Amino acid sequence: MLSAAAVALRAGARRTVRRLPGKTRAIPVAASLRRQRPFSTSATRKTDLTTRGMIVQTLSSVGSKREVQQYLSLFTSVSSQRFAVIKVGGAILTDYLDELCSSLAFLYTVGLYPVIVHGAGPQLNSLLEQAGVEPQFEEGIRVTDVKTLRVARDLFMRENLKLVNKLEEKGVHAQPLTIGMFRAEYLNKEKWGLVGKVTGVNKQAIETAISNGYLPILTSMAETDDGQILNVNADVAAAELARALEPLKVVYLSEKGGLFDAAGQKISAINLDEEFDHLMSQEWVKYGTRLKIKEIKELLDTLPRATSVAIIHPGDLQKELFTDSGAGTLIRRGSKLLSATSLSEFEDLDALKSVLVRDREGPDAKETVDKYLEYLNENDFKAYYDGDMNALAIVLPAKDGRQATLATLTITKSGWLTNVADNIFTVLKKEHPSLVWTVKEDDENLGWFFDKADGSITRDGDVMFWYGIDNGDEIMRLMKDFTLNGRAMLGNSNLESRLHRAAKTGSKPFAQQTRSYSTLARRPVDSAPAFGLNTGRGYVTQTNPNPPIGKKNASKEGPARVALIGARGYTGQELVRLLDSHPNMDLRHVSSRELAGQKLEGYNKSEVIYESLSPDDVRDMEKRGDIDCWVMALPNGVCKPFVEAVYEGRKGSNHKSVIVDLSADYRFDNSWTYGLPELVQRNNIADATQIANPGCYATAAQLGIAPLVEHLGGMPHIFGVSGYSGAGTKPSPKNDVDNLTNNLIPYSLTGHIHEREVSSQLGAQVAFIPHVAVWFRGIHHTISIPLKQSMTSRDIRQIYQDRYAGEKLVKVVGEAPLVKNISGKHGVEIGGFEVDKTGKRVVVCATIDNLLKGAATQCLQNMNLALGYAEYEGIPIM
C-alpha cells in the first residue's frame, strides 16, 4: 500500500487511498466522488440505537446525563463534517496512539465523525538527523528543501497509515486522505522553500468519506495548481480546515493537556472578548503561550461565534466534549457582557419582560413580572446579560446587614452551551465577594450551581446556595432564615418566589416548617477554605441551627443529647471520638457494667462518668425527655430490653427520641429503618425514629454489588477478610494475635448473618465466606459477580462511578483497593473491575474500616439525618 501511494505521489496524480474491511485498494478521488451517496447528517446515520444508548450511559460517568444529552444533541444537530476538526501532533502519534484511537472509537460508535489532521514534526526531525540533514527554521517555520520534502512525504504516509490501521483494529472505518486535500501556493519560496500557504480545502472528499461511514484522516501536505507538493504546518492546516468546514469544535491535542498560568495551574477557559487584552498584558503570557492565544483568536474571529477551540490531552476527549467543566483549556470568543443598574438602560423593556417570563409560564406570570419591574425601579440592583440575552442575572447588592442576593437568573439552552452562564458567574464573583441565591432542587443544572457555591442547604424542594461567606454566625443565620421561610426569605427581590406565590394563591402558605439538611459544595481550587473546613482532611461542620423538628422537644435549645449503651467495645470508643468533635451533639450518658464509676476517656467536652444503666433507668430517662438519641452498641441479642424500655418510656409522653441499634437484632424487622444512606432513600432515614445500623461486612458487600444487581447472571460470591477487631473485645481464638500470626481463620462458612443481610437488602441471593486475619482493623472483600450479558471492565467501572457520583464516603478506584489504605478512614473504596475472557464475570474488590464506616461513622450519618443535621457533620471526609 505504501509503494502504491508513493507512486501516486511521484506521478503527481490526485489519488487517495481508501481502506476497506479486509483489503486495501487505491481509488481516484474523482471516481469516489462519482459514487457519492447522499450526504449523511445525524438524522440518517446508521448508528445502532442500543449501542448508542450504552455509549450515552457510559459517557454519563464523566458528566451528568443532562450534560451528555445536551452536548450530544448539539453535536448531532449539524452535518457530520461540522462536528469537529481535531489536530493531532506527531508526539501524540508516537506516545499516545492507543489513547487517541480509543477516544476516536468512542466518538465513532456514538455516531460522531471528527475530521482528523495530523503532523509528524518530532519524527521528521529525527529522520532528518539520521539522514545527515540539520533541520532549519526561520521565524518558527521549517525551511523545506527537496530532500526534506522527500523525507517528510514518505514519513507522513507511514504515520497516516499507522493511525488508520490502529483505528481499524478498534473497529473504526478510517479513510486516509493524504493528497489532494489542500490547495496551496508558495508561502515565500526564497525564504522557506517548499512551504505552502493554504488557499483551498477539498471539502467534497471529506464529505464523501463521512457519508460512507469513514473517519477522514488527513496529512498536512498541500499541492500547488501545477501539482507541486508543499509542506504545511499541521496547526496551520487545521486552522484552514476549520475555516472551510466551520465546525462546532476545533481540538488541538497536547501532551500537556492545556495552557497554564503563572502559578503552573491549568487555565480552564478563556473568553477572548472579555479577557484577550488583559491576558496580553500579563508578563507570564509570552513565547509559545502568547503565540498560541493570538493564533487562536485570529482563527475564531473568522468562524461562527458558536465555534470554540479546546487544547486537551488525548485521553480527555470525552470529558472535554461532553461536560460543562471540560478537561483542558477551552478558548472561545464568548459574549461581551453588558450590565445595567436601572431599567432605563435597557433599550427594549418588552424584550426584558419576555426574557423574565420565558420558561416561567404560569398563572399571572406577566402581571407578576410587571410588578417585579416596578420593584426593581424602586430599589438598587445590577443586571448582567449578553447581547442576545441568552443569559440574564439580576443581583441586589448587600444592604442593611443583608447579603448580596442573586435575585433572578435565566439562561437559555444556547446560553448553557456557549458558556455565557459561566461568563456571567465569573463577573459576579469579581464584583460580589459574597452572594446568596436559591434554586429548585429538581433543576437539571443543579450540579452546576453546586460547583459555583461554597455551601448549600435544602428545604422542601428548594436549595439555598452561597459563596464567599466565612462568618459562621452569618451562615447559621441564613440557614435558620431559609429553614423557616424557604425562598420567601429573599422577599420581593426574588422573582421565582413571587411567581411561586402567584401559583400558590389560595393554597397553603408557602413558608412552613420542615426538616432541612445542608451540604458543602465542591469548592474552586483558588478559593479560600470554606467555613469549617481544614485545608487538608476537612470536617463537614455546616449545620442546621434549629432544634431537629419532631425529634427534640421544640422548647429545648442547644445540642442533641446522646446516650451510649455499651460504650466499652471498639465501636463505642470510635463513636465517642466522633461525638467529641461534633458541634451539635453532646454525649450525656455512657453505660458499661464493667467500667461503671470510671471517667470516660477520649471525650473532652465535659466530664462523663461510666454508668451501669438498667432498662428501668432508660425508661425513666425517656419518659422525662432527657435523651434525644439512644445508641445501642451491644452484642447481638442483648439490646432488646433497652429498646423496649424506650418504647415504654414514650407512652404518655410527647417526647420521642431516636434509637440507632448497631447490632443485628432489628435489621430484618420491617418496622425499623435500615440505615445505609448510600443505598436507602435518605428521607426515610431522616423520618425514622428507630434505625438498624448495617453490619460492617454487609455495608462493604452491598456497596460492592449494588450497581450490578440489574446485570446479575447468577449468585455473587464474597470472600471477606476482616482484622481481628471485628471479633470484639471478649477473648477468643479469632482475636488471639498469636493464633492469627501466619494464619487465616475461616468461620461461619455458610449461613453467616451478613449473608442473609446482604441478600435481603439487595433482593438477590449471595454467598459469603468470612475470614479473620492478623491485622487489627479493616475489611477486604473479593467479590466474584456473574453477569447476564458480556460487559467490559471499562463499562462496569463507569457504572460504579455513575452510581456513586457525589457520595462523599464512597470512592471508586481503578486498581484493587488495599486494607492498609482504608484503615482509619471513614468511607469505602471499590475497585478492581477485572473481567474474565468471556466478559460474563467480573471481580470487584471493596475495602472498609469495620469500626468506622462499618459501624461508628455510619451510625453518625444516621444520627445526623434522623436528628435534622447535615449528614456528614462531624465526619472527616475521605
Side-chain angles (χ1 to χ4, degrees), residues 44-57:
T44 58
R45 291 175 188 161
K46 296 183 178 181
T47 305
D48 180 79
L49 293 180
T50 303
T51 304
R52 181 185 177 90
M54 186 182 299
I55 297 299
V56 171
Q57 180 182 357

Side-chain angles (χ1 to χ4, degrees), residues 776-829:
F776 177 66
R777 63 195 302 162
I779 287 173
H780 187 284
H781 282 322
T782 303
I783 311 170
S784 177
I785 305 174
L787 305 169
K788 64 183 178 183
Q789 61 188 25
S790 181
M791 301 176 73
T792 68
S793 176
R794 185 172 181 174
D795 292 339
I796 294 168
R797 179 179 177 182
Q798 290 178 339
I799 288 173
Y800 278 74
Q801 289 173 331
D802 189 43
R803 177 64 176 271
Y804 295 127
E807 293 293 350
K808 296 179 184 293
L809 300 184
V810 180
K811 184 177 181 181
V812 178
V813 297
E815 300 297 322
L818 303 177
V819 168
K820 69 177 183 179
N821 294 333
I822 202 67
S823 178
K825 294 183 181 177
H826 293 262
V828 176
E829 289 193 356

Side-chain angles (χ1 to χ4, degrees), residues 211-247:
S211 178
N212 290 329
Y214 288 78
L215 288 192
I217 312 297
L218 285 67
T219 64
S220 57
M221 303 291 284
E223 290 181 59
T224 63
D225 289 338
D226 58 6
Q228 173 62 52
I229 303 295
L230 296 178
N231 184 24
V232 176
N233 177 275
D235 283 355
V236 173
E240 294 304 327
L241 195 57
R243 289 186 175 97
L245 299 178
E246 297 188 342

Side-chain angles (χ1 to χ4, degrees), residues 252-268:
Y252 292 91
L253 298 182
S254 159
E255 309 97 295
K256 293 182 178 179
L259 300 179
F260 294 81
D261 63 18
Q265 298 295 314
K266 186 186 293 181
I267 303 170
S268 177

Side-chain angles (χ1 to χ4, degrees), residues 668-872:
F668 306 96
D669 187 329
N670 290 334
S671 66
W672 283 61
T673 300
Y674 189 74
L676 209 174
E678 290 80 8
L679 297 181
V680 174
Q681 288 193 6
R682 285 174 163 91
N683 61 323
N684 290 344
I685 300 173
D687 292 336
T689 57
Q690 46 196 40
I691 301 167
N693 214 60
C696 51
Y697 275 127
T699 296
Q702 289 177 73
L703 291 170
I705 298 172
L708 291 179
V709 166
E710 63 184 278
H711 302 285
L712 290 180
M715 181 190 298
H717 283 67
I718 308 159
F719 184 93
V721 185
S722 173
Y724 65 83
S725 61
T729 56
K730 183 178 179 180
S732 76
K734 289 188 290 184
N735 58 20
D736 182 339
V737 175
D738 290 336
N739 187 43
L740 289 168
T741 300
N742 298 320
N743 199 8
L744 184 69
I745 301 177
Y747 64 100
S748 300
L749 299 181
T750 61
H752 191 285
I753 194 165
H754 287 166
E755 180 177 275
R756 178 186 169 202
E757 181 181 343
V758 174
S759 299
S760 174
Q761 291 299 321
L762 292 180
Q765 188 64 42
V766 304
F768 173 52
I769 310 97
H771 302 72
V772 63
V774 72
W775 62 80
F776 177 66
R777 63 195 302 162
I779 287 173
H780 187 284
H781 282 322
T782 303
I783 311 170
S784 177
I785 305 174
L787 305 169
K788 64 183 178 183
Q789 61 188 25
S790 181
M791 301 176 73
T792 68
S793 176
R794 185 172 181 174
D795 292 339
I796 294 168
R797 179 179 177 182
Q798 290 178 339
I799 288 173
Y800 278 74
Q801 289 173 331
D802 189 43
R803 177 64 176 271
Y804 295 127
E807 293 293 350
K808 296 179 184 293
L809 300 184
V810 180
K811 184 177 181 181
V812 178
V813 297
E815 300 297 322
L818 303 177
V819 168
K820 69 177 183 179
N821 294 333
I822 202 67
S823 178
K825 294 183 181 177
H826 293 262
V828 176
E829 289 193 356
I830 305 171
F833 308 113
E834 189 79 21
V835 175
D836 74 356
K837 62 182 180 180
T838 68
K840 290 192 173 184
R841 183 175 71 90
V842 61
V843 176
V844 175
C845 297
T847 58
I848 187 173
D849 188 310
N850 52 297
L851 303 179
L852 294 176
K853 178 59 176 170
T857 302
Q858 191 141 261
C859 174
L860 189 54
Q861 283 180 269
N862 290 320
M863 293 168 68
N864 280 331
L865 288 169
L867 292 170
Y869 299 116
E871 178 181 341
Y872 305 107

